[in-house]
Amino acid sequence: MLGTLTIQEIDEILAGNMTGRLGCTDGKKVYVVPVSYAFNETYLIAHSHEGMKIDMMRKNPDVCFEVDEIRDFTNWRSVILWGNYEEITDQRERFYAMKFLVGRLLKQPVSETAGMHEMNTELAQSHMAQHKRPVIYRIRIQEKTGRFEKR
């Protein structure tokens, strides 16, 4: 049976996962990349080093984001949302955004690309001193939809 997810089911999927695929464009090229995120019902929080994705979102803040839960070809749920990229630059807001993100990520094994291992203050400051500061951003959700198949 194919169906449409309710808003509550969509939010449960977004809250229950930490990796999704972000789609962005500069008007010439479309770029889709996996990112780690935290969801708070209004927006997603994520971070990255500067590069293609950040450059594209700065030029065009309209983005798409997708999360899947796939058991097999006939049992899956998929959520797509559209929103706007907003870079978080205020120091206090950056701190709380990273605290929220890292708090979610530390509940799961964290990959090297997530970049935040054992987030205590001393280690975080050491990490920041050795590397460029990450770009911390939110995707402010404008629209979301979801589908499923279950047999």
Side-chain angles (χ1 to χ4, degrees):
M1 172 176 84
L2 285 172
T4 301
L5 297 169
T6 66
I7 293 298
Q8 181 179 349
E9 291 169 324
I10 289 169
D11 287 352
E12 287 171 4
I13 291 168
L14 290 170
N17 288 278
M18 287 179 255
T19 303
R21 282 169 277 318
L22 176 71
C24 53
T25 183
D26 62 3
K28 297 176 186 173
K29 185 186 301 185
V30 175
Y31 188 53
V32 177
V33 60
V35 296
S36 298
Y37 73 93
F39 170 68
N40 84 340
E41 297 180 14
T42 305
Y43 50 81
L44 306 177
I45 295 289
H47 75 94
S48 176
H49 291 290
E50 291 188 344
M52 183 185 302
K53 141 177 100 243
I54 297 298
D55 290 344
M56 286 181 157
M57 290 189 298
R58 284 176 174 161
K59 289 177 186 171
N60 181 4
D62 297 325
V63 299
C64 185
F65 194 82
E66 186 239 356
V67 176
D68 290 319
E69 292 180 342
I70 301 171
R71 293 198 196 312
D72 57 46
F73 290 124
T74 59
N75 292 287
W76 53 265
R77 301 189 305 171
S78 181
V79 169
I80 296 179
L81 64 85
W82 294 268
N84 301 102
Y85 166 82
E86 295 177 359
E87 204 161 312
I88 301 172
T89 57
D90 177 78
Q91 288 297 10
R92 182 180 172 98
E93 198 174 355
R94 284 173 59 88
F95 172 80
Y96 285 109
M98 280 304 290
K99 184 176 179 180
F100 177 64
L101 176 62
V102 170
R104 289 276 296 135
L105 294 178
L106 285 179
K107 292 178 183 177
Q108 299 292 321
V110 179
S111 74
E112 186 175 323
T113 59
M116 297 294 159
H117 307 284
E118 300 176 21
M119 279 299 292
N120 63 42
T121 304
E122 191 174 311
L123 183 58
Q125 289 172 348
S126 170
H127 175 77
M128 297 303 177
Q130 294 174 8
H131 299 91
K132 289 193 271 182
R133 285 180 26 170
V135 175
I136 302 166
Y137 62 94
R138 75 173 59 91
I139 303 301
R140 194 167 299 277
I141 299 167
Q142 302 297 320
E143 181 182 352
K144 53 191 170 185
T145 187
R147 303 276 297 169
F148 71 90
E149 182 174 3
K150 186 171 184 172
R151 292 216 174 169

